[in-house]
Amino acid sequence: MSMLPSPSLNDVPPGISRDAGLADALDRAGVGIVVAGADRRPLHLNPAAARLLGREDGEAGAGPMDGWIHPDDRAAEAALHAEVLAGTRDGYRTEVRWLRAGGRHVWVEMSVATRGTDPFTTGTAVLDITGRRRAAEEAELDRVRLAFLSHASEVLASSLDYDATLRAVARLATERLATWCIVTIASPGGLTRTLAHRDPERMRWAEELTRRYPPDPEAATGAAHVIRTGRAEFVPEISDAMVAAAARDEEHLRLLREVGFNALITVPIAAGGENVGAISLVSAESGRSYTQADLALAEDLGRRAGTAIQNARLLRDAERAAERARRLQAFATALNEASSTGQAAEVCVVHGMEALGADAGAFGLLEDGDRVIEMLHLRGYPAEVSGRWVRWPISPGRPLSDSVIHRTPVLVPDAAEMQARYPAMAPEFAEAGIVAYVGIPVCSRGRVLAGLSFSFRRAQEFDEGTRTFLSTLGGMAAQVMERARLYDAERRQRAGAEEAAERERDARAEAENANRAKSEFLANMSHELRTPLNASLGYADLLDMELAGPLTPGQREYLERIRVSNHHLLGLVEDVLDLSKLSAGRMAVEREPADAATAVVSALTLVQPQADVRGVAVYDRCAGCDVTYVGDEDRVRQVLVNLLSNAVKFTQPGGQVTVDVGTSDEPDPGARLMGSGPWTFFRVRDTGLGIAPDQLESVFLPFVQAETGHTRTRGGTGLGLTISREFARLMGGDLTLRSTLGQGAAFTLWLPARVTAPGTPPARGLARAGEALQAGVDRVLRSYVGRMRDDPGVPEAARLARVDLEDHMAAMLADIAQTLVVMEEADETDIEGVLLRDGSDFQRMMAERHGEQRARLGWNLEALRREYQILREEVNAAVQRGVADDAATEPGLAALGRLLARAEEISVGGLRKPKE
């Protein structure tokens, strides 16, 4: 706020007659003008000011000026006016909201000045700035939405746990979009809800409300309807009539009114090609209404949530399958140890309940000529119910009887199907708290020997995997004496896994051979193409020198076109060859300290002529800057030339391109960088066409360009950005993009900054150790697998396929090797600190999953310790083979030892985790 004299009001007298000439002039003014006394009551209110207040009657009914101001702005403006009254200032300028007739408001800029002291009067010029404020608010909303979606992607990608993903979706929505968020998921048992609210007390209240009034899967509106139709529901303002229509009874209506609904958005969650759920966003308490922009943001969140939920489901299903296999193995082992029918019955019930997550189970033998079932073991049922189920006749109408009669499992997933299929038994099951049920016949050699059942207090989803598991469970329970046949089946399964692993190895080798053949072909093609192209350029130069005679202007024009076309083809050949080398992992880059300003100047020298021709101004903000980076000077210049050429190419004449250079500890979100920084960045901004949001990632794909089709006006192969990003990542950095369509683009090259702690020598020998390990990973894994299979300290290894033995080790060793390389290239001296941060998340995840995998395979602590001992020996041998100088290996081996020791302890935690 600042004091602003208003010369146009200097001559306003303390009082104004309605027919005075000055009043007429003020009335004709294009801006609002108010003359007021010390009590702030208007002495004159011109029509423009009256229109801003929504009044056609001028001063009539307007009241004092401070009453026109929104309550949230009133105190600040009153303080300024008090200073004017006190004589400590002559005037002021401020932006406030004026309350219009009818309750709405308008943003205005008030310029207030003192116009008289006897009596005291002020003159106020009022300008409508609503449009400007709304534009600023919309721009800020766009920025916040983009940041929110970026944050949402980060959060949703951070976990593959299914329930954690649902909670994350709900929590994200309450951070930005809603007071309440309800994530509804469709399942065979009905609709399940995950709720989020910032207040834990409100959460408990909402959970109780959901328990008392569960969602109706057949509702004509709301989440159920959105899931069925896949169409979003958008209610920008909720009336009390709408709330009343949604209530199921008077108590429900009272509770709903307590929420204080303002607006509602419900969007579908699609995963795997189907609608699996919906996100409901409720605005309450805050008074906020929703807009179309909020709807678009919610739909985007729904799509991202669908992807995250699909990934979590896939992982959950894979983990369930693995867990079933582990529990089936434990079940078989326990069953084989049973020495009596009673023990076998107990093992079947206890291990079956654990495997299925059941709440109760029963095992009964067929007696009296297979006409009666007599229970040998019941567990988990109420005493008053289990007493009635000890012995009963086999007859249709009971699920276990039907499974025995028809010799097939009977699966009842929920209470509705129980009522439909077994109406006579439904009340008894309800009394016992049973919602879902499984009945399994126990058959051997064509005869039913017993019945095995499991009960659940919640609805279940019996997929094909569950059905197969139940059949196997029943067969194993009946055929205790046929262990040899089961072992044969296990061996055949193991042989199939070995065969599949062998096929995978053969396919990998074939793919590698094909990739080598492709690289050789491209290298030969490059040579064969460059030879005639260089010759063509040479002959063009000879013609240009007029050795064969003078040239006409037209001939010189044709000659220039030949040169341009040849250079274009040479560039294409080089790009394709670079891409091939990058794809094959055969592209080498240097990682040496270099001057950033030199790189920018050398790139601008090559691009400036192109910019001059297009009439685009290029500004170098790095001139004279003292910034260094770690990388390959030639490749950095190649990347900058590509970025600058693209910027010039896609900027209209009269536009500008700017190059900024600096260092930062916080790279752009989404940048794939190793290490903790700091980072040197080269940012190329342009004022060109910009890039659409759906193309921000695709522009980095090979042969993809922002401008496509037969009407393209700008040349290029579509390889430059692909190659540039790969070069950046090879040098330990990345290439990121920010753009808004129609507002230009900003590409940022991130590279490690050269930072050395004063007075401390940099770590050395780490990169050599890391590179030796990278080169020898395959040999390490082969020796490591072979030694484990022959080692008596790891007896479980002999029967496992190589793919199971290697597990996550290949990825973890590659990441450890890269960590050592980055540590030295960034001149890291705090090795312990690096071990705790660089790559630690990935290495920790791999080590923990390795321990969990070993636990599922039945390994003990001693076997896991022995495995890591073998791994350390093979890793040390690989480093010593790759680094001839023994002294140079010492720091690398020491760092490797600490990294592997930490990985071992994390794997031990993973091994013990399932037992906790």
Side-chain angles (χ1 to χ4, degrees), residues 473-763:
L473 199 67
M476 291 175 66
Q479 300 173 21
V480 177
M481 301 305 296
E482 298 184 17
R483 289 191 293 270
R485 184 184 65 83
L486 295 176
Y487 289 154
D488 288 341
E490 184 182 354
R491 282 194 292 272
R492 286 194 298 272
Q493 183 180 6
R494 190 184 314 130
E498 288 280 5
E499 184 180 346
E502 186 64 32
R503 286 197 301 270
E504 181 183 350
R505 285 192 291 272
D506 292 344
R508 187 183 301 124
E510 185 177 346
E512 290 172 355
N513 290 334
N515 198 40
R516 279 194 295 272
K518 179 193 72 174
S519 298
E520 291 172 2
F521 165 75
L522 289 173
N524 292 333
M525 179 203 72
S526 172
H527 174 75
E528 295 299 328
L529 286 175
R530 280 186 290 191
T531 298
L533 286 172
N534 286 328
S536 178
L537 284 171
Y539 282 118
D541 289 339
L542 292 175
L543 289 172
D544 190 43
M545 296 166 62
E546 298 186 339
L547 296 180
L551 299 177
T552 66
Q555 290 171 332
R556 288 192 179 279
E557 181 182 349
Y558 294 148
L559 193 59
E560 183 60 26
R561 292 182 182 178
I562 291 173
R563 281 203 189 95
V564 170
S565 298
N566 276 326
H567 282 298
H568 176 74
L569 287 173
L570 280 173
L572 177 59
V573 169
E574 292 297 334
D575 283 350
V576 171
L577 189 59
D578 281 348
L579 183 62
S580 172
K581 289 180 180 178
L582 287 166
S583 300
R586 295 169 54 191
M587 177 65 75
V589 296
E590 298 293 332
R591 295 190 182 182
E592 298 294 338
D595 179 57
T598 302
V600 173
V601 170
S602 61
L604 285 175
T605 300
L606 297 173
V607 177
Q608 190 63 54
Q610 176 189 352
D612 293 341
V613 170
R614 281 192 59 81
V616 174
V618 180
Y619 298 100
D620 176 10
R621 293 185 177 175
C622 178
C625 66
D626 184 17
V627 179
T628 58
Y629 64 91
V630 176
D632 188 315
E633 287 186 277
D634 292 337
R635 296 309 181 187
V636 169
R637 180 171 60 253
Q638 182 178 344
V639 172
L640 291 177
V641 167
N642 179 64
L643 297 181
L644 287 165
S645 297
N646 280 352
V648 170
K649 185 192 310 180
F650 288 97
T651 299
Q652 298 296 333
Q656 64 182 41
V657 174
T658 305
V659 184
D660 292 291
V661 175
T663 58
S664 174
D665 291 321
E666 297 181 2
D668 287 345
R672 290 169 44 184
L673 299 170
M674 296 190 64
S676 59
W679 307 98
T680 294
F681 64 83
F682 300 81
R683 182 166 291 123
V684 177
R685 304 174 186 270
D686 63 61
T687 58
L689 303 174
I691 299 172
D694 59 352
Q695 292 183 311
L696 292 179
E697 278 303 319
S698 63
V699 295
F700 290 104
L701 298 177
F703 305 107
V704 172
Q705 293 184 318
E707 186 182 39
T708 60
H710 296 295
T711 60
R712 273 202 303 130
T713 61
R714 297 163 180 85
T717 63
L719 294 176
L721 289 177
T722 304
I723 294 170
S724 295
R725 175 175 271 187
E726 291 302 320
F727 277 144
R729 290 176 176 174
L730 272 179
M731 291 184 284
D734 203 358
L735 182 61
T736 60
L737 166 61
R738 290 182 178 179
S739 179
T740 301
L741 193 62
Q743 298 181 21
F747 286 87
T748 305
L749 171 63
W750 298 92
L751 293 171
R754 178 178 173 82
V755 179
T756 304
T760 306

